[in-house]
Amino acid sequence: IATMLESRLQTKPRSSPNDRETSLWSSGLGMKLEAVTPFLGKYRPFVGRCCQTCTPKSWDSLFHRSIRDLGFCNVILVKEENTRFRGWLVRRLCYFLWSLEQHIPSCQDTPQKILESTGVQNLLSGKVPGGAGEGQVPDVVKKEVQRILGHIQAPPWPFLVRLFSWALLRFLNCVFLNVQLHKGQMKMVHKAAQTGSPLVLLSTHKTLLDGILLPFVLLSQGLGVLRVAWDSRACSPSLRALLRKLGGLFLPSEANLSLDSSEGLLARAVVQEASAPLGLWTGALAVLWSLCSHLGCSRQICSRVHLAQPFSLQEYTISARSCWGSRQTLEQLLQPILLGQCTAVPDTEKEQEWTPITGPLLALKEEDQLLVRRLSHHVLSASVASSAVMSTAIMATLLLFKHQKLLGEFSWLTEEILLRGFDVGFSGQLRSLLQHTLSLLRAHVALLRIRRGDLLVVPRPGPGLAHLARLSAELLPVFLSEAVGACAVRGLLVGRVPPQGPWELQGIELLSQNELYRQILLLMHLLPQELLLLQPCQSSYCYCQEVLDRLIQCGLLVAEETPGSRAACDTGRQRMSRRLLWKPSGDFTDSDSDDFEEAEGRYFRLSQQLRCPDFFLFLCRLLSPLLKAFAQAAAFLHQGQLPDTESGYTKQLFQFLQATAHEEGIFECVDPKLAISAIWTFRDLGVLQQMPSPAGPRLHLSSTFASRDNQEKLEQFIRQFICS
């Protein structure tokens, strides 16, 4: 494969306009780009800003004004200049000297602070059930608190931490070419640390390296030893003792017991106090041992750590409560519509909470539990926006959906990503970049050499397509609004024009703004919230308008002025006095209905530009793996063996997805995560019901969808958004 690719890259471009080499170089926009850069003009796009609605003060005060002028630093590159000493011996011992100069803060007073905390003191004074006032001796309780705290954490040993940092620095230099960190993002974290409040850092766990790489990066930047949460069940006692000395946290098993258990009452109180001032990450077991295989490879791996903008948790808890409005379940919103019982979409938000219910979360009040769940949506949205798009995701998307002209379309798609405010994690000469990307995907693609020295890249069938589909999902957040809008337009046209009809025929149809709003609402209610990344403070109708604006901006929709209607650009006759334009975003009450009534006379058509059909199909196919998995899950309802446990039914559905993929040759939706998402969505939709049983909760098929007719209605409702 490498030989064929090298011979292709060394082929000189021919001047013949009919040559295939020319078609590979020409992009969809008629441009020729020799190099790919992660810049728009002279600046990189800044990503990961906090929510301006919920944390306006943090949005302004914790932002580094000159962040766009700052570049990246290699955190594993330690030289003589990084130490206080100079000389030839220092240059050979710089790693060791650097580790000796790291600041390791002491935590000797942590047990006393926890004993003096409000939650533990309430137990000692007997103000809560199960406390000392009900027969327990305070001294015994104090010893129990110290025992639990000793199980959770131990004061870090400075010498051991420095020794481990030195060994880890050498190990990372053997594995990586560099570990990049944006200086501007790090300055914002330092600015937040200077406020004196404790820092709590959350990770999305892109790789198994997070458990050791992130604490090392933050220690090297002067933030001290970071506490990392580990699973005590997966560690031996000796490994657990070592990790505690390095700053590891191990939650006691009784902390996850139910609220009715008096055994876990004291443990939960200690855990709540021990984890406010500590940064918690879920570590991975034996990461160092799993990376030993990399030592035999050449150092060709680069890594980048992304940090979103910090925000004040105190400010969020005060501001976020004011954004709460009425909500309904997915069953109340969509089930009457897909069954044909009504046509109007309720003017309310969707309540869909899939946050795991653990012991510490159950110990909170219901209002605080909702606050934590919605905080997780904000954090997930910021973390996804902070992640750079890699070249493998772009290549996988092009191979799955648009694989005619790889060179030109790779450049075009990179520019589209930057225009939408997302960052990319690559740069360099286009040919060399594609060579490196294809070498990373060599196990999942086939390179075929054809006449005139051209190279044809073909995805391998079977698991190779499923892997490419998982990689291409990383590109979905970039085009998510446009993809939702394109699938909604597809749902409008499915009953008007033939699915395989020409683009000109579909462009004749008039699409009213109200119809577009309705289809977008139906689709966004169907899609999971962790996929939409819709912030809890954002209204559904705001999102509908954002989707419509994106479709107009990218040129897929053009306004159609009907006779007698006011031009869309005519704002002179709008009644400003009665409806103020500076209402808070998300504040939609009954008085706003007039604004949407004005949309009845607004119509749109599909644009007839040459690039629009391919781009429309590209957007629709971004959501097709998830929607096809949902549709096949609906078709599987009459074959599934119910009742069953959630894990058992997930296994049944995944096996059905595999069998269907082998029959149809479409492997994009063969993913266990898609099967789980379909089951959770059907459970919220009222298709599946979870009932208690002596062996644990089991899934049952609801009586409403026991009939084959309603199952087919559900499948047709989902398939209207799928573009073949």
Side-chain angles (χ1 to χ4, degrees):
I1 292 177
T3 305
M4 289 191 296
L5 184 60
E6 186 67 25
S7 64
R8 172 69 182 88
L9 295 176
Q10 290 178 355
T11 304
K12 295 183 180 180
R14 298 174 174 88
S15 58
S16 173
N18 297 323
D19 195 355
R20 185 174 178 83
E21 174 71 15
T22 305
S23 66
L24 286 175
W25 269 106
S26 61
S27 68
L29 301 180
M31 301 170 57
K32 291 187 177 181
L33 299 178
E34 289 284 347
V36 177
T37 60
F39 300 97
L40 279 178
K42 53 187 289 191
Y43 298 111
R44 300 182 73 102
F46 176 72
V47 294
R49 294 206 70 172
C50 61
C51 179
Q52 190 176 10
T53 302
C54 297
T55 52
K57 295 181 180 178
S58 302
W59 189 87
D60 181 67
S61 61
L62 296 181
F63 179 70
H64 196 273
R65 298 301 174 186
S66 59
I67 188 172
R68 299 178 186 273
D69 300 329
L70 302 176
F72 290 85
C73 64
N74 184 8
V75 295
I76 63 173
L77 180 62
V78 176
K79 297 182 178 180
E80 177 185 4
E81 292 77 11
N82 299 106
T83 66
R84 295 178 299 168
F85 310 98
R86 298 293 182 268
W88 66 271
L89 184 59
V90 175
R91 288 191 290 271
R92 287 158 177 79
L93 299 176
C94 57
Y95 286 5
F96 181 74
L97 295 175
W98 172 86
S99 63
L100 293 179
E101 295 179 356
Q102 299 305 306
H103 173 64
I104 312 296
S106 61
C107 303
Q108 302 296 332
D109 58 343
T110 300
Q112 186 62 29
K113 288 182 179 180
I114 294 177
L115 285 172
E116 295 174 357
S117 64
T118 304
V120 176
Q121 286 299 316
N122 288 339
L123 285 174
L124 296 179
S125 61
K127 293 182 180 180
V128 298
E134 296 188 358
Q136 291 183 339
V137 181
D139 292 338
V140 176
V141 178
K142 290 181 181 179
K143 292 181 180 179
E144 182 67 12
V145 169
Q146 293 175 348
R147 183 195 69 81
I148 296 173
L149 186 61
H151 180 88
I152 296 174
Q153 63 180 4
W157 286 7
F159 173 75
L160 190 60
V161 172
R162 292 188 174 97
L163 180 64
F164 184 77
S165 300
W166 168 78
L168 186 58
L169 180 61
R170 296 193 64 88
F171 178 79
L172 292 176
N173 273 277
C174 294
V175 175
F176 294 106
L177 279 174
N178 57 68
V179 177
Q180 295 182 347
L181 179 66
H182 197 283
K183 297 178 182 178
Q185 294 177 351
M186 197 66 238
K187 283 186 177 296
M188 290 191 300
V189 177
H190 278 293
K191 196 172 183 179
Q194 292 173 0
T195 60
S197 301
L199 289 179
V200 179
L201 299 110
L202 304 175
S203 171
T204 53
H205 308 296
K206 291 289 186 180
T207 65
L208 292 176
L209 285 172
D210 291 359
I212 58 173
L213 181 59
L214 297 177
F216 169 80
V217 169
L218 296 175
L219 174 65
S220 67
Q221 300 301 310
L223 290 178
V225 178
L226 202 68
R227 296 291 186 174
V228 182
W230 293 73
D231 188 0
S232 58
R233 297 170 298 180
C235 299
S236 62
S238 57
L239 180 60
R240 212 160 43 230
L242 173 63
L243 293 177
R244 281 200 198 98
K245 299 300 182 181
L246 294 172
L249 290 176
F250 294 91
L251 303 184
S253 57
E254 56 265 29
N256 286 323
L257 296 178
S258 63
L259 293 178
D260 298 334
S261 174
S262 60
E263 182 182 0
L265 189 64
L266 183 59
R268 286 192 297 271
V270 175
V271 167
Q272 289 176 11
E273 302 302 331
S275 60
L278 304 175
L280 295 183
W281 285 332
T282 303
L285 171 66
V287 177
L288 288 176
W289 287 268
S290 65
L291 292 176
C292 290
S293 59
H294 291 287
L295 292 177
C297 306
S298 58
R299 294 170 62 246
Q300 296 181 351
I301 306 176
C302 299
S303 178
R304 183 190 296 182
V305 178
H306 303 276
L307 297 173
Q309 181 185 0
F311 63 90
S312 170
L313 188 59
Q314 182 180 11
E315 181 188 8
Y316 173 80
T317 56
I318 297 175
S319 303
R321 299 180 193 272
S322 62
C323 299
W324 294 356
S326 61
R327 290 177 177 257
Q328 292 183 359
T329 63
L330 185 61
E331 180 179 356
Q332 296 170 330
L333 288 172
L334 282 189
Q335 190 178 112
I337 296 175
L338 66 90
L339 294 179
Q341 299 173 358
C342 70
T343 57
V345 183
D347 185 11
T348 184
E349 304 299 320
K350 178 178 66 172
E351 186 68 32
Q352 184 184 37
E353 306 296 350
W354 292 351
T355 308
I357 303 298
T358 59
L361 186 60
L362 285 174
L364 301 176
K365 299 178 181 179
E366 184 178 356
E367 184 180 7
D368 294 333
Q369 291 183 25
L370 185 60
L371 186 69
V372 171
R373 291 188 179 106
R374 297 185 178 179
L375 174 64
S376 65
H377 293 158
H378 276 287
V379 173
L380 180 62
S381 177
S383 61
V384 171
S386 302
S387 301
V389 178
M390 306 309 293
S391 60
T392 51
I394 297 178
M395 180 60 69
T397 304
L398 293 176
L399 290 175
L400 285 175
F401 308 138
K402 298 181 60 177
H403 51 81
Q404 289 88 4
K405 306 172 184 178
L406 288 182
L407 290 177
E409 290 177 352
F410 190 95
S411 300
W412 163 77
L413 198 51
T414 302
E415 185 178 357
E416 291 291 331
I417 293 171
L418 295 173
L419 285 171
R420 284 161 175 79
F422 282 77
D423 196 9
V424 294
F426 55 87
S427 62
Q429 294 296 321
L430 183 58
R431 290 176 177 269
S432 301
L433 186 60
L434 262 66
Q435 177 187 11
H436 176 69
T437 304
L438 290 175
S439 66
L440 296 176
L441 298 175
R442 59 183 176 270
H444 310 287
V445 299
L447 305 180
L448 306 176
R449 188 174 183 179
I450 56 179
R451 59 183 181 181
R452 296 182 180 178
D454 294 321
L455 192 66
L456 183 63
V457 184
V458 180
R460 296 184 185 273
L465 285 175
H467 180 77
L468 294 179
R470 285 191 290 269
L471 289 176
S472 66
E474 299 178 9
L475 211 62
L476 182 58
V478 182
F479 298 93
L480 184 57
S481 298
E482 293 95 327
V484 171
C487 291
V489 172
R490 176 61 191 162
L492 272 180
L493 296 175
V494 69
R496 303 183 183 181
V497 296
Q500 304 298 335
W503 183 259
E504 294 78 8
L505 182 61
Q506 301 183 35
I508 298 176
E509 294 294 325
L510 282 178
L511 308 174
S512 71
Q513 186 165 330
N514 277 351
E515 291 176 329
L516 288 170
Y517 277 161
R518 182 181 182 276
Q519 288 297 114
I520 294 172
L521 279 175
L522 291 177
L523 182 56
M524 68 174 292
H525 287 330
L526 178 65
L527 295 176
Q529 285 185 345
E530 72 272 9
L531 174 72
L532 281 176
L533 301 175
L534 187 64
Q535 295 182 347
C537 58
Q538 185 178 7
S539 167
S540 297
Y541 280 100
C542 284
Y543 185 77
C544 288
Q545 187 59 50
E546 177 186 338
V547 169
L548 189 58
D549 291 342
R550 289 290 186 91
L551 292 179
I552 297 174
Q553 290 171 5
C554 69
L556 283 178
L557 287 183
V558 292
E560 180 73 16
E561 304 296 344
T562 58
S565 64
R566 190 181 67 218
C569 59
D570 183 10
T571 60
R573 291 183 289 174
Q574 292 185 6
R575 293 169 289 179
M576 302 291 185
S577 59
R578 191 163 57 90
R579 292 186 299 274
L580 301 179
L581 297 181
W582 50 85
K583 287 182 180 180
S585 64
D587 182 16
F588 282 85
T589 59
D590 294 338
S591 61
D592 298 294
S593 59
D594 296 335
D595 295 326
F596 295 100
E597 290 176 0
E598 290 185 359
E600 293 181 357
R602 298 174 186 169
Y603 291 85
F604 300 89
R605 293 184 191 271
L606 287 175
S607 175
Q608 296 301 309
Q609 298 182 21
L610 292 178
R611 68 180 185 91
C612 286
D614 289 338
F615 189 51
F616 182 83
L617 185 63
F618 166 76
L619 294 175
C620 289
R621 286 183 173 176
L622 286 176
L623 279 175
S624 63
L626 178 68
L627 293 175
K628 287 181 180 179
F630 282 15
Q632 293 184 20
F636 179 67
L637 289 175
H638 72 282
Q639 303 180 24
Q641 302 297 323
L642 289 174
D644 197 357
T645 61
E646 182 178 304
S647 60
Y649 191 69
T650 302
K651 185 178 180 180
Q652 291 186 49
L653 178 57
F654 182 66
Q655 291 176 349
F656 176 77
L657 294 178
Q658 287 180 317
T660 306
H662 285 286
E663 293 176 2
E664 300 179 355
I666 302 176
F667 292 85
E668 288 86 348
C669 58
V670 182
D671 191 343
K673 294 182 179 179
L674 296 181
I676 295 174
S677 181
I679 292 176
W680 286 358
T681 300
F682 283 9
R683 188 179 59 193
D684 290 343
L685 190 55
V687 179
L688 300 175
Q689 294 178 344
Q690 189 167 343
M691 301 292 186
S693 69
R698 299 177 72 85
L699 293 176
H700 295 253
L701 185 62
S702 67
S703 58
T704 305
F705 289 90
S707 67
R708 188 66 181 273
D709 184 46
N710 287 343
Q711 294 176 9
E712 292 178 354
K713 289 180 180 179
L714 173 62
E715 184 179 358
Q716 292 303 319
F717 175 80
I718 298 173
R719 289 196 179 276
Q720 68 174 324
F721 302 109
I722 301 176
C723 188
S724 59

